[in-house]
Amino acid sequence: MVDKALGGAGLRGQVAGETALCTVGKSGSGLTYCGYDISELADKAQFEEVSFLLSRGELPTESELTEYKAKLKSLRGLPDALKTVLENIPKDAHPMDVMRTGCSMLGNLEMEQDFSQANDAIDRMVAVFPSIICYWYRFSHDGVRIETETDDDSVGAHFLRLLHDEAPSALFEQVMNVSLILYAEHEFNASTFTARVCASTLSDIHSCVTGAIGSLRGPLHGGANEAAMDMIEGFTSADQAEDALMGMLERKDKIMGFGHAIYRESDPRNVIIKKWSEKLAAEVGDDVLYPVSVRCEEVMWREKKLFCNADFFHASAYHFMGIPTKLFTPIFVMSRVTGWTAHVKEQRANNRIIRPSADYTGPEARSYTLISER
Ligand SMILES: CC(=O)SCCNC(=O)CCNC(=O)[C@H](O)C(C)(C)COP(=O)(O)OP(=O)(O)OC[C@H]1O[C@@H](n2cnc3c(N)ncnc32)[C@H](O)[C@@H]1OP(=O)(O)O
Ligand SMILES: O=C([O-])CC(=O)C(=O)O
C-alpha cells in the first residue's frame, strides 16, 4: 500500500523490496551493514572485512580474511584486451565513463556464465577496479603503462600506490580504508536500485554493475563529491565562503554535498569522514579548505537546516591525499561495487522482475491520421 503523503515523485517513501543487507536511518547511528553499526566498522574494521561481509554474509575469521586478501591481490592484473581499450579512451573522458567501459569490457572478457560464478566475478571487480581507473589515468595523463599487480595489503593502498607511484603513508592508507567502508553500501539508493532492476531481468552481473556506475555518475548521487570539491576550492577563506554561499542560497542554487533523500537531520558518515578530513588538514598544513568546509556546514545548517551528506567532507579529505578531483567518484565505485553486487545476489535469490506501473497523463485515445493528411 503506497503512503499517499510520501508517495509520488522519485518513489520517495515507497517500499520497493526487501533487504537484509543494510538499514538507513533506522537504528544505532543510523546506518548498519548486516547488523553492524557503521561507526564501529569505520573505527575497527578493514574494508576487505566489510567486502567479505557483504559478499559472504558474515565477517571473516582471521584465516578467511588472509585467504580473501590473497585472492584479491592475485586478481589485480589487467587482460591485454582491456588495456588496449583503456589506452584508446581519451584523456578528457569522464573517469566514470572509463569505469563504465572498463566494467563492461571486463564482462566481455570474463563473462559470468552462470550465477554460481557470482562471487568470483565480484572478487575480480573489487580487486581490479582500482587497476582499471589508474591504468587509464596514468596512461592518458602521464604517458606511462603502469604495472597494476602490486603487493599492497589493502585495496586503498593499492589504489594510492598506482596513482602516486609510491606506497602511501599509514595515515593515507587508513583514510582510504575508512572511506571505502563508508561508501560500501546504502540500501535502495539510485545506483543500487539500478543494479537490482537489471538483476531482476536475470541479466549478468557486469551488466548490473555497468548500469549502476551510470546512475552513480550523476551529481545528485555519487558525483556530488566532485561537485562539492569544485565549489569549495573556489572559496579563498571561510568568510568569503559564507558570502558566496549566501548568494547561492538566495539564487536557490543546489549546494552539492548537502541534503539527503532519507536522512532528515544528519548523515552518520559525515561525522566520521569529517574527523579524518580534519586530521589530514593538520597533516598537510591546510588552513583554508578545511575551515571553508566547516563554515559551509555551519551556514547550511543555520540557513536551511541542511546537513552534509557523506560526500561533502570526502571532497577535502581526498584532496588532501593528492587525489585529482575527477577520480573522486570512481573511488566510490571501487567501494560501492560491494554493495551493488550483494544486492544483485539478494535480488536473484528471491526474484520477480521489477516492473512498476505508471499513471497515464497523455492524450485521450485518438485515431491515426495518414501522413499525407497531417
Ligand atoms: C552519497 C550520496 O549520493 S548522498 C547525495 C549526494 N547528492 C548531493 O549532495 C546533491 C545535493 N543534494 C540534493 O540534490 C538533494 O538533497 C538529494 C538529491 C540528495 C535528495 O533530494 P530530495 O530527496 O528531493 O531532497 P528533499 O526532499 O530533502 O528536499 C527538500 C527541499 O530541500 C531542498 N534541498 C535539498 N537539498 C538541497 C541542497 N543540497 N541545496 C539546496 N537545496 C536543497 C530541495 O530543493 C527541496 O526544496 P523544495 O521542496 O523547495 O524543492
Ligand atoms: O542513499 C542514497 O540515496 C544516497 C546515498 O547516500 C548513498 O548511496 O550512499
Side-chain angles (χ1 to χ4, degrees), residues 240-276:
Q240 192 259 326
E242 175 157 355
D243 286 349
L245 215 48
M246 293 299 285
M248 291 169 81
L249 291 175
E250 182 91 2
R251 292 192 298 275
K252 303 220 173 309
D253 288 352
K254 195 146 259 193
I255 316 297
M256 297 305 172
F258 286 86
H260 200 273
I262 304 294
Y263 298 123
R264 290 294 101 200
E265 296 205 328
S266 66
D267 180 331
R269 299 165 294 185
N270 177 53
V271 66
I272 300 170
I273 195 62
K274 181 182 174 188
K275 186 190 81 181
W276 286 104

Side-chain angles (χ1 to χ4, degrees), residues 94 96 183 186 189-192 212-230 256-260 269 309-312 314-315 318 325-334 336 340:
H94 193 295
M96 285 297 278
Y183 271 146
H186 219 242
N189 61 83
S191 55
T192 301
I213 293 171
S215 289
L216 190 69
R217 183 191 195 288
L220 295 190
H221 192 9
N225 54 17
E226 297 182 19
M229 186 67 216
D230 291 342
M256 297 305 172
F258 286 86
H260 200 273
R269 299 165 294 185
N309 57 47
D311 282 332
F312 190 69
H314 260 108
Y318 287 163
T325 304
K326 60 191 200 176
L327 297 188
F328 289 5
T329 318
I331 302 176
F332 201 152
V333 174
M334 287 160 36
R336 185 58 61 86
W340 291 332

